[in-house]
Amino acid sequence: KLPNDNQVLYIGAGNDSYFTHNGTNSIWGNNTGTLQIRNHTSDADMFFSINDGGSHINAIQIDASDVGSVILPSDNQKLKIGASNDLQIYHDGSNTYMVNYAGSLIFEQQLADGNIIFNSDDGSGGAANYYIVDGANEINKFYKHIRLPVDSQQISVGAGNDLYMYHDATNSHFVNTTGNLTFINTANDADILFQSDNGAGSTTTYFYLDGSSASHNGSATTAMYTI
């Protein structure tokens, strides 16, 4: 026992490690090499405990039986990152939150040809791919339906949003603001069909571009048909 404040217990030939209490705080210091904390008991955990204002709780648990996983064992405990705690990750007992309070929130994959994969419940107790950022092919892949659930929200294409489509709660709009609007079907002998209500509760084809009836003899003479 060192009965007085600011007394120091030194360990090592050069007093490299020490313990002290300054009357307010306890300090464990190391001056040389790596500071290692070890538990040699097989599958035994390590706990860092605190007093949260009246009760004793385990704030951090290192789970030896789960490959040394670090656990915040209580709901609403937050992992805070940054000088002003700008990024916070926590679970409130029902939902998990990743909250950013300063700057942009950036997800970046540095592995060459690596992907960013978003999985979620598949409706039958498993998980399925919903969306993949495919780094190898430089493309975004959607594996489930895409929905804009609010009216008048646009899907826009082009540097100046030159082509866009939306539904205004009454009508659907497909709008091009720059250059030609071209519909192309490259499937051999396939058609482009225009369908609408048939007056009896279903739809019918009003006209179509008949690709299977088109002919070309290698010259400027080409037969094309709109039916």
Side-chain angles (χ1 to χ4, degrees), residues 6 22 29 57 176 184 203 226:
N6 294 306
N22 62 12
I57 66 169
N176 180 60
I184 300 175
T203 60
T226 299

Side-chain angles (χ1 to χ4, degrees), residues 26 54 71 78 81 95 99 139 149 162:
S26 295
I71 301 172
K78 297 179 179 180
I81 303 172
N95 302 299
V99 185
I139 192 171
D162 303 308

Side-chain angles (χ1 to χ4, degrees), residues 75-88:
D75 291 331
N76 292 304
Q77 283 184 273
K78 297 179 179 180
L79 174 62
K80 299 181 179 181
I81 303 172
S84 299
N85 301 324
D86 300 313
L87 175 63
Q88 300 184 14

Side-chain angles (χ1 to χ4, degrees), residues 56-109:
H56 181 84
I57 66 169
N58 291 321
I60 300 175
Q61 176 184 353
I62 300 177
D63 189 347
S65 61
D66 191 18
V67 202
S69 297
V70 177
I71 301 172
L72 304 182
S74 300
D75 291 331
N76 292 304
Q77 283 184 273
K78 297 179 179 180
L79 174 62
K80 299 181 179 181
I81 303 172
S84 299
N85 301 324
D86 300 313
L87 175 63
Q88 300 184 14
I89 304 172
Y90 66 98
H91 185 80
D92 67 1
S94 300
N95 302 299
T96 300
Y97 300 85
M98 177 182 289
V99 185
N100 183 57
Y101 293 96
S104 299
L105 180 60
I106 300 172
F107 295 87
E108 184 170 323
Q109 163 68 282

